[in-house]
Amino acid sequence: MAAIKSFVVYFVLAAAAIIPINAQLTPNFYEKMCPQALPTIRTVVRNAITNETRMGASLLRLHFHDCFVNGCDGSLLLDDTANFVGEKTAIPNNNSVRGFDVIDEIKQAVNTACKGNVVSCADIVAVAARDSVNLLGGPFYPVQLGRRDARTASFNDANANLPSPFSNFSVLLSSFQSQGLNLQDLVALSGGHSIGLARCPSFRNRIYNDSDIDPVFAASKQKNCPVTGGTFNTEPLDATTTLFDNQYFKDLIASRGLLHSDQQLFKNDSSDSDRLVRKYSTNPISFASDFSASMIKMGNLNVLTGNEGEIRMNCRRVN
């Protein structure tokens, strides 16, 4: 197992070396100004996952939902004010995205460890996502750092930019391509559904109406997700939901994707998407490497650096 993990780390680092990145971001950004920053983030994330394993998936999802709306700038963390309606109450996020209290805890701990306000909320979200993946058995990849925090957020863009669990393949691919991501990024990043849970309304239509679903699997999910009601009932996104592995892709091949959008990646039609799903289902090292590369790539989307934005004292509001 140790040899496999070392092999994965080698390929992750090699992949990271060839990914185009923002010239002002670097994995060593806090090395001199606050060497305690990253260990402090990891400690709080570890404690949060120990208290609730699902929190790892929630922190990963926070990063994705932040980056897909005008870049990885911490805008998702902002509470509504009299001047704007933020992203938290947008349809894809409302009563769904979680983990804000953990980010608050990390921010307070990092400010204390660094004896000042030097680590951005956007960087905290990015590192917390990586540490969540790694602590649940997934790869450890270098997070590019030096992001600044946005001073505003967009409710409308959150509604427009975030893919839906009901989306068909063409919509999913178009959404990723609009961010400068490609098919491999779509399939690899969807593997983040290796961990976490989904609420009944997000998969109800699939388990009652989709034809590309294993009937035994559908019937088992219907027990906890009735035709009406059960709004807050949850089901795991894959069969090993507390472990970051490649089971998600094996489930897709077996027509056991929980979300309609998940199963859209595998239609058994020999498409390029199918080939990636099959590859990841049998090659966990390839999945770990490609997932890491795509996370680094996504983490570089439209970042604020230099004198842009700010470093928030409180991640929920601008300074």
Side-chain angles (χ1 to χ4, degrees), residues 48-100:
I49 290 175
T50 298
N51 291 334
E52 182 194 12
T53 306
R54 181 188 178 191
M55 187 53 66
S58 298
L59 293 173
L60 174 59
R61 189 162 179 248
L62 263 183
H63 185 39
F64 178 85
H65 279 229
D66 183 38
C67 290
F68 259 58
V69 182
N70 301 320
C72 309
D73 59 6
S75 59
L76 175 57
L77 307 177
L78 290 172
D79 289 337
D80 293 353
T81 73
N83 299 321
F84 71 90
V85 177
E87 298 164 19
K88 288 182 178 179
T89 55
I91 292 172
N93 297 329
N94 194 32
N95 295 320
S96 176
V97 173
R98 56 200 297 274
F100 299 110

Side-chain angles (χ1 to χ4, degrees), residues 205-215 255 260 263:
N205 189 65
R206 168 156 172 74
I207 62 174
Y208 286 100
N209 298 316
D210 279 6
S211 59
D212 58 343
I213 187 169
D214 171 46
S255 298
H260 176 82
Q263 195 61 52

Side-chain angles (χ1 to χ4, degrees), residues 94-133:
N94 194 32
N95 295 320
S96 176
V97 173
R98 56 200 297 274
F100 299 110
D101 290 345
V102 175
I103 298 300
D104 292 340
E105 184 180 351
I106 294 172
K107 180 63 174 174
Q108 183 176 3
V110 168
N111 281 3
T112 299
C114 298
K115 297 180 172 60
N117 184 41
V118 296
V119 182
S120 70
C121 300
D123 275 350
I124 287 173
V125 171
V127 175
R130 186 275 309 278
D131 288 346
S132 294
V133 167

